Amino acid sequence: MANTVLAQPRITGTVTDASDGSPVPYASIIIKGAQTTIATDANGSYTFNNVPENAVLIFSSIGYKTIEIPVDKRTRIDVSLSQESVGLEELMVVAYGTVQKGSYSGSATQIKQDKFKDVPVVSFEQAIVGAVPGVQITQRSGQPGALPEIRVRGFGSFNAAPEGNNNMNDPLYVIDGVPATSGDWGSDNISISSMNFLNPGDIESVTILKDAAAASLYGSRASNGVILITTKTGKKGKPVSSFRANVGLSYFAMNNYPLATEEETEILLRESYTNYGNDNPVSWQPYGSLDTYVNEMVEKYFPSKKSEYIYVDWEKELFRIGVSQNYEYSISGGGDNSKIFASLAYNDEKGVNVIEYLKRITATINADAKIGKHLTIGGSVQFSNQNQSGHQDGAAKDNPFYLWKVHLTSRWPFQYASDGSYWMGSYNGGSQRNPVSQFDLQINDAKQLRMILKGWAELRISDNLKIKTIISNDYLHVHDRFGWLYGHVNFTAYGNGYMSDRYRFVNKLVSSTVANFNKSFDNHHISAMAGWEAEQEHFLYTRVGMVDFTNFGATQSALATTLDEAYTYVADANLLSAVSNLNYDYDSRYYLSASFRRDGSSRLSHKNRWGSFWSVSGSWKLSNELFMSNINWINDLRIRGSYGTSGTLPSKRYGYMAVFDYNTYGTEGAGYPDNLANSDLTWEKNKNWNIAFDARLFDRLDLTAEYYNKLTTDLLLDATVPSTTGFTSALTNIGSMVNRGIELAFNVDIIKKRGMTLSFGANWSSLYNEILALSEEGEQIVSRPWIRKAGYSYVQYYTKEYYGSDPQTGTPLYYSNKLLADGTRDRTLVTRSEASSAILEGMTAIPKGFGGFNASFTWQSLSVSMAWSYKYGHYIWDNGVDDMETDGYNSYANIAASQVGRWQQAGDNTYLPRRIAGNTGGGYYDSSRALKKGDYLRLKNLTVSYTLPIKAQRFLHLSNARIYLAGTNLLTFTGLNFDPEVRADGYYSFSFPALRTVTLGIEISL
């Protein structure tokens, strides 16, 4: 008997992308029929030892078609992998699992990390503005660490928000399958985003769930959408170390509130008092002449510059070029049985005002290991320690932006010329002072400590059945301080010095166990999921305010001698849930899905504690039908639809029961009822249906079109109750609201060839919002500047309607809008005092359209990408009108540049009226003068990068090396005189504007 011994050669080669020749890192190579597996390195190269000469090698990688190649006695095998059809077949993270996008019937958008990894931001939300159809994202403040606002398909609630923060209508955040604490946990003095703990560089993908089929598995917390964040995990292959560093420069993205020049300001002021004197001769008679009167008024309100003072450009004194630095290190690797990813990052951001800063350190470890053939265990640690400092936003005397634009005129002295000391007077009679000398004497800072610990185990019982258990502890500690130290102009406002400390502790424990079943037979495929989830949340809030410091250099409240205010409270909330999901498809053509969740919440009374939430959905993949088989230019085509329910819990943990508050009554302690009990209190309910179609054409063009209707019932409102109860209102489930809209998106690969690619994408969305019912028939809730009334938008403006000026007299004219007997409004032009406030039809904060578009280009080692966002057809309430566009009412304040275009003589056809001192009919008092069209187009992100060629990387023993230049908010086109990115409700009042940032960075991998 003869034995044939086959040689065991060494095989080398490279694996590249068939479309452009670029390397495919970490591709898997397996000997068919054997257990031996290796992976390519970061350059796509591999070496496979001891390969039988008659073996067959299997090459595979995520996103590429798997191929088999016989060795056939060769020692070098180079392979080109073709990409799988993207678009509808893309793998996407969804609720409690992952699916192929082409088999998913819900409405969800996934954004992968490569779309935002170079954008110079602290939090990922800022990097995806305009990228997701139906989602509006705005940065409410340009201060470091401020919370972005996210609205998914409109407004879902009036009242419901997590207790402890005021982020009503915000979506639920889920990190690696676990609901996370989110929102703004700061005070009115400083915004503290709890999501800043997550370094954008640690994120693998972000998926936003928008309809019921996508979100109903999160039940009572899903009405406002769900954001799923998947963090990076270890990759199989040799360890890869990566280092990223960047430095950026920032300043205001646009010229906010242009002001009249010094010369124009004096002319306008003289005109105001000249007109006033002509109308009221008695005012100037004590001065002897009108000219003398005008001169004295101008000197009083806009005093001439004196030689003993130094005057400055306030912008240069208050602001600087902001500087940010970011450093990240990560390592990833693993073998057949274990993988690990770890990262460490440091961020240091100095804002454009000297008291603004943010310093953050984050660390992440994510690991998993196989224990035998059936059990896999894993765990992760996410840690963040953040320190930030800032100032109040809005029309506050501690807001340098507000002071600069409104109060600090060019005639306000800065220093004494004799010794350079600061001039701390105030010629306007108010409490505003030179803020430059105060920056070091004010404390407005916050510390945020965040840690999420997670462990999980997955038992694979068979090829078709697995069970996974997760336990997670999410810990958040926030401490913010506000105080005035010795020497501050407000030092004696409450005593000798003031310091307030606020502590917030949130501890959320989540545990879940789910079983997944997956089975295919013939042309049928079925998958099912069932399990439970339990959540326990503990919230502790402590507030201490102290005054009277015996040591004027002290900065801690414990060193003060007099208690101003102190209290603490504890609140707990529990949620127990059963979850399930069933999916079926036939022959990859017909898809059906159903989900069910039952939630029990401690926020509700026993009789309403449990609620059920469900969804059904289906889709038809036409492109897989026989009658479509000869249409080669259609790669994928399907229609889908869904209907389902979700909910929103009351914001207060004990809102359904009568609770007592405790305080002092005279000199004794006393308890008193704090709210009226309502055992009928229940969830806000959301009924959502969605229809859509998706297509991929010519293997280049992806199209999606969707229409949705979201009905919210049992709105939580403060309904009027008889005063005999001891209260005037009580939280009640009554009222309803609808949001509906259209979403369109497309992406096209214009150029796809070796060494060069060019792609373009765009999306557009519309939104219609209407209140259907309130607590009583015909009820209307006026909340400046909006009105809430059935038949109108949640953000419908309500005020007096300004017409313009009388061409002959310059008098400001308004529409009467008096309600007539026939139900119409009188459109006669009258003075302001004769005009009535009214609903301004068509003037809301809801845009007629919003979205974004993007483009990317690569050529050899060079790549360029950009993303734009836009919004149009909406109105913004500019609260700055009553400060700087008063038509003469306010003589002390700065004057907006637009005021130069006022009425001056008979025959002038101008929008702005005649200027007159103390003008009671102009812009100072609320009217539609404050409503401005909010249309804008903004270049949100632009990145240019260069990657070192492969040969150079190999020579330097690197697996990757690139340099990039990135910018945010680089160009803005708008008719507004302030930054157009404002809150979704349209209200703007001197929030710190958005910044333009330019960043230079490097990335190196070993």
Side-chain angles (χ1 to χ4, degrees):
M1 182 174 62
N3 292 324
T4 302
V5 180
L6 299 178
Q8 302 287 311
R10 178 188 184 195
I11 308 296
T12 61
T14 58
V15 178
T16 57
D17 188 313
S19 64
D20 59 10
S22 61
V24 179
Y26 317 122
S28 294
I29 308 169
I30 304 172
I31 298 176
K32 188 174 183 178
Q35 298 296 320
T36 309
T37 303
I38 67 165
T40 60
D41 62 18
N43 297 315
S45 300
Y46 73 92
T47 299
F48 208 151
N49 295 314
N50 301 321
V51 180
E53 63 182 18
N54 62 349
V56 175
L57 298 182
I58 301 174
F59 294 82
S60 63
S61 184
I62 295 175
Y64 292 89
K65 295 178 180 178
T66 299
I67 62 172
E68 299 182 6
I69 297 179
V71 173
D72 197 21
K73 300 181 180 180
R74 290 176 290 178
T75 58
R76 182 172 182 86
I77 300 177
D78 294 323
V79 176
S80 294
L81 296 182
S82 299
Q83 294 185 16
E84 291 276 10
S85 177
V86 294
L88 299 182
E89 297 308 316
E90 183 180 6
L91 195 65
M92 183 170 63
V93 177
V94 295
Y96 296 95
T98 59
V99 298
Q100 280 191 330
K101 186 176 180 181
S103 66
Y104 190 59
S105 301
S107 179
T109 300
Q110 178 171 271
I111 301 175
K112 294 186 176 179
Q113 201 253 357
D114 59 354
K115 298 296 184 182
F116 56 82
K117 67 177 182 179
D118 294 332
V119 180
V121 293
V122 173
S123 183
F124 76 92
E125 300 102 325
Q126 305 165 41
I128 60 174
V129 176
V132 183
V135 178
Q136 300 182 65
I137 304 175
T138 55
Q139 188 67 23
R140 293 184 293 190
S141 173
Q143 293 193 64
L147 175 76
E149 179 185 75
I150 301 180
R151 295 291 175 264
V152 179
R153 291 185 167 178
F155 301 87
S157 180
F158 274 33
N159 184 282
E163 189 171 19
N165 70 74
N166 299 313
N167 302 292
M168 185 175 63
N169 289 301
D170 275 5
L172 170 70
Y173 284 79
V174 178
I175 302 175
D176 294 329
V178 179
T181 300
S182 62
D184 187 344
W185 292 85
S187 63
D188 292 335
N189 300 314
I190 190 169
S191 173
I192 308 169
S193 172
S194 58
M195 291 305 296
N196 283 346
F197 85 98
L198 194 58
N199 175 31
D202 291 339
I203 297 175
E204 186 71 35
S205 67
V206 175
T207 303
I208 299 181
L209 310 181
K210 297 182 286 186
D211 74 337
S216 63
L217 273 174
Y218 290 106
S220 61
R221 296 166 294 177
S223 284
N224 296 314
V226 181
I227 297 179
L228 305 179
I229 299 172
T230 303
T231 61
K232 292 180 178 179
T233 58
K235 297 293 190 298
K236 186 177 178 180
K238 74 172 188 177
V240 176
S241 296
S242 297
F243 175 75
R244 288 169 57 92
N246 61 63
V247 60
L249 304 176
S250 302
Y251 202 64
F252 296 119
M254 60 178 289
N255 182 16
N256 297 277
Y257 287 129
L259 300 176
T261 65
E262 185 174 348
E263 180 182 5
E264 290 169 341
T265 299
E266 183 163 337
I267 291 173
L268 292 172
L269 199 57
R270 287 187 176 278
E271 186 176 312
S272 297
Y273 281 95
T274 298
N275 290 336
Y276 182 82
N278 286 328
D279 292 352
N280 304 276
V282 68
S283 64
W284 58 261
Q285 288 174 358
Y287 296 85
S289 70
L290 176 61
D291 287 343
T292 302
Y293 166 73
V294 171
N295 288 337
E296 294 219 14
M297 291 301 101
V298 171
E299 182 62 24
K300 175 182 178 180
Y301 295 110
F302 198 58
S304 58
K305 292 182 176 179
K306 310 297 190 300
S307 60
E308 61 263 35
Y309 301 132
I310 297 174
Y311 300 87
V312 296
D313 179 343
W314 285 105
E315 180 178 5
K316 294 180 179 178
E317 300 299 328
L318 294 172
F319 306 105
R320 62 186 179 183
I321 300 296
V323 179
S324 61
Q325 301 175 69
N326 186 61
Y327 306 94
E328 302 176 26
Y329 172 78
S330 66
I331 185 169
S332 175
D336 292 333
N337 296 319
S338 62
K339 298 184 292 292
I340 188 169
F341 171 84
S343 72
L344 183 67
Y346 176 73
N347 180 272
D348 187 340
E349 182 176 347
K350 294 180 174 63
V352 297
N353 180 264
V354 68
I355 63 175
E356 297 175 353
Y357 68 78
L358 182 145
K359 296 181 180 181
R360 181 189 68 183
I361 184 169
T362 63
T364 297
I365 299 176
N366 205 333
D368 63 82
K370 290 183 179 180
I371 309 296
K373 294 182 178 180
H374 302 287
L375 180 64
T376 303
I377 62 172
S380 63
V381 179
Q382 292 163 325
F383 171 82
S384 173
N385 188 6
Q386 175 181 294
N387 295 314
Q388 69 181 93
S389 174
H391 48 75
Q392 295 173 328
D393 266 323
K397 58 189 175 184
D398 291 320
N399 181 356
F401 175 70
Y402 167 72
L403 292 175
W404 168 38
K405 288 301 178 181
V406 176
H407 295 287
L408 297 174
T409 72
S410 58
R411 301 283 178 85
W412 192 302
F414 180 64
Q415 291 171 311
Y416 288 99
S418 58
D419 58 5
S421 61
Y422 292 112
W423 187 78
M424 296 306 297
S426 176
Y427 68 74
N428 68 2
S431 60
Q432 295 81 20
R433 297 292 190 276
N434 178 354
V436 176
S437 66
Q438 307 292 290
F439 291 148
D440 293 333
L441 303 174
Q442 175 180 317
I443 291 178
N444 191 11
D445 58 20
K447 296 180 179 180
Q448 178 183 168
L449 182 67
R450 183 80 179 267
M451 179 179 290
I452 300 180
L453 302 174
K454 188 182 76 171
W456 58 270
E458 182 177 275
L459 178 65
R460 183 174 292 275
I461 298 174
S462 68
D463 292 339
N464 303 319
L465 179 62
K466 61 182 179 181
I467 299 175
K468 186 174 184 178
T469 294
I470 299 175
I471 185 166
S472 171
N473 192 32
D474 184 349
Y475 174 82
L476 171 67
H477 173 213
V478 174
H479 172 206
D480 70 271
R481 302 186 300 162
F482 182 84
W484 297 306
L485 305 181
Y486 179 70
H488 194 281
V489 294
N490 294 323
F491 180 72
T492 57
Y494 300 101
N496 288 321
Y498 173 77
M499 181 62 66
S500 171
D501 289 90
R502 296 175 176 87
Y503 299 88
R504 296 169 182 85
F505 301 89
V506 185
N507 193 53
K508 179 180 288 189
L509 180 66
V510 179
S511 177
S512 67
T513 297
V514 296
N516 281 277
F517 176 80
N518 202 310
K519 177 71 174 179
S520 295
F521 50 95
D522 298 329
N523 291 326
H524 305 274
H525 176 256
I526 187 170
S527 64
M529 181 274 292
W532 64 272
E533 186 173 72
E535 178 181 309
Q536 180 187 72
E537 184 178 78
H538 174 75
F539 175 58
L540 169 65
Y541 178 78
T542 300
R543 163 82 183 276
V544 177
M546 300 290 290
V547 296
D548 295 333
F549 286 85
T550 54
N551 181 346
F552 290 164
T555 61
Q556 300 296 324
S557 58
L559 300 178
T561 58
T562 304
L563 178 66
D564 176 64
E565 184 180 29
Y567 59 90
T568 186
Y569 68 86
V570 175
D572 295 311
N574 300 318
L575 186 70
L576 181 63
S577 309
V579 296
S580 61
N581 176 250
L582 179 64
N583 300 285
Y584 168 79
D585 73 81
Y586 173 73
D587 199 24
S588 297
R589 288 182 289 165
Y590 313 113
Y591 299 84
L592 294 173
S593 180
S595 67
F596 178 81
R597 179 176 179 124
R598 186 151 175 85
D599 280 343
S601 172
S602 64
R603 294 174 186 249
L604 302 172
S605 67
H606 290 282
K607 67 178 182 179
N608 290 324
R609 182 149 293 174
W610 290 91
S612 299
F613 308 92
W614 56 270
S615 71
V616 292
S617 61
S619 62
W620 177 23
K621 198 167 187 178
L622 288 82
S623 54
N624 283 357
E625 294 288 357
L626 184 61
F627 61 80
M628 299 283 289
S629 60
N630 293 324
I631 307 177
N632 297 326
W633 55 274
I634 298 180
N635 306 105
D636 285 295
L637 179 65
R638 68 173 181 145
I639 56 175
R640 52 186 168 87
S642 67
Y643 179 82
T645 64
S646 56
T648 305
L649 283 165
S651 58
K652 292 187 177 181
R653 292 167 171 83
Y654 310 113
Y656 70 91
M657 63 174 67
V659 296
F660 276 69
D661 199 356
Y662 296 89
N663 212 317
T664 57
Y665 184 78
T667 59
E668 303 294 329
Y672 55 90
D674 188 54
N675 68 288
L676 191 65
N678 180 6
S679 62
D680 294 324
L681 204 66
T682 186
W683 336 74
E684 291 184 341
K685 299 177 181 63
N686 186 290
K687 302 173 183 177
N688 191 337
W689 60 268
N690 191 90
I691 57 173
F693 95 92
D694 304 291
R696 182 167 177 82
L697 312 176
F698 306 104
D699 200 26
R700 289 178 180 270
L701 176 63
D702 293 302
L703 298 171
T704 297
E706 301 196 53
Y707 177 81
Y708 67 89
N709 188 92
K710 185 169 68 171
L711 174 65
T712 305
T713 59
D714 289 334
L715 280 170
L716 290 161
L717 297 172
D718 287 318
T720 302
V721 296
S723 58
T724 54
T725 63
F727 299 90
T728 57
S729 65
L731 190 62
T732 309
N733 289 100
I734 190 164
S736 58
M737 181 166 57
V738 67
N739 294 272
R740 59 176 176 264
I742 298 172
E743 298 170 1
L744 304 174
F746 78 89
N747 291 278
V748 58
D749 298 319
I750 301 171
I751 299 175
K752 287 197 313 180
K753 64 181 183 180
R754 185 181 180 89
M756 180 181 294
T757 64
L758 175 62
S759 64
F760 178 80
N763 71 80
W764 174 87
S765 302
S766 68
L767 172 64
Y768 175 81
N769 169 272
E770 181 185 344
I771 298 171
L772 302 179
L774 294 175
S775 61
E776 296 178 1
E777 184 73 24
E779 181 183 8
Q780 58 185 39
I781 303 171
V782 177
S783 177
R784 177 185 182 266
W786 310 281
I787 185 171
R788 276 68 192 252
K789 183 178 181 180
Y792 293 92
S793 162
Y794 174 73
V795 283
Q796 170 65 56
Y797 293 114
Y798 177 84
T799 189
K800 296 188 177 185
E801 186 177 2
Y802 181 73
Y803 166 78
S805 65
D806 186 320
Q808 297 305 312
T809 65
T811 301
L813 298 176
Y814 295 77
Y815 290 103
S816 168
N817 280 332
K818 181 181 179 181
L819 188 63
L820 302 177
D822 61 1
T824 62
R825 295 278 181 178
D826 180 8
R827 302 297 284 172
T828 305
L829 296 178
V830 298
T831 63
R832 187 186 186 283
S833 61
E834 299 171 300
S836 299
S837 292
I839 295 173
L840 303 183
E841 301 283 350
M843 301 184 78
T844 82
I846 304 288
K848 293 180 179 178
F850 61 93
F853 53 90
N854 61 83
S856 63
F857 172 76
T858 64
W859 178 70
Q860 302 297 337
S861 296
L862 180 69
S863 68
V864 181
S865 64
M866 65 173 65
W868 297 73
S869 66
Y870 66 86
K871 191 182 291 189
Y872 65 91
H874 62 298
Y875 287 84
I876 294 174
W877 181 275
D878 176 15
N879 209 45
V881 168
D882 65 10
D883 286 299
M884 297 176 293
E885 300 177 31
T886 66
D887 308 315
Y889 177 88
N890 192 341
S891 298
Y892 280 119
N894 278 314
I895 300 174
S898 60
Q899 291 275 283
V900 174
R902 77 286 185 196
W903 184 95
Q904 297 182 73
Q905 60 186 8
D908 284 351
N909 190 8
T910 63
Y911 181 72
L912 299 180
R914 173 176 178 252
R915 288 191 70 82
I916 182 170
N919 194 335
T920 59
Y924 178 76
Y925 293 98
D926 284 355
S927 76
S928 60
R929 280 277 299 277
L931 290 174
K932 300 179 179 181
K933 290 185 177 181
D935 304 2
Y936 76 88
L937 171 65
R938 169 166 277 177
L939 176 56
K940 286 298 299 182
N941 307 311
L942 174 66
T943 302
V944 179
S945 68
Y946 177 78
T947 302
L948 203 64
I950 296 295
K951 289 184 178 180
Q953 292 183 26
R954 289 176 177 172
F955 177 78
L956 296 172
H957 302 288
L958 302 175
S959 60
N960 182 45
R962 58 190 290 267
I963 185 171
Y964 60 92
L965 183 67
T968 60
N969 300 329
L970 296 178
L971 295 173
T972 304
F973 303 96
T974 183
L976 293 169
N977 59 342
F978 55 91
D979 196 274
E981 287 196 58
V982 304
R983 294 166 14 183
D985 62 16
Y987 186 81
Y988 180 74
S989 181
F990 296 101
S991 292
F992 210 69
L995 304 180
R996 176 188 294 122
T997 301
V998 178
T999 299
L1000 179 66
I1002 61 169
E1003 180 180 1
I1004 298 173
S1005 297
L1006 302 175

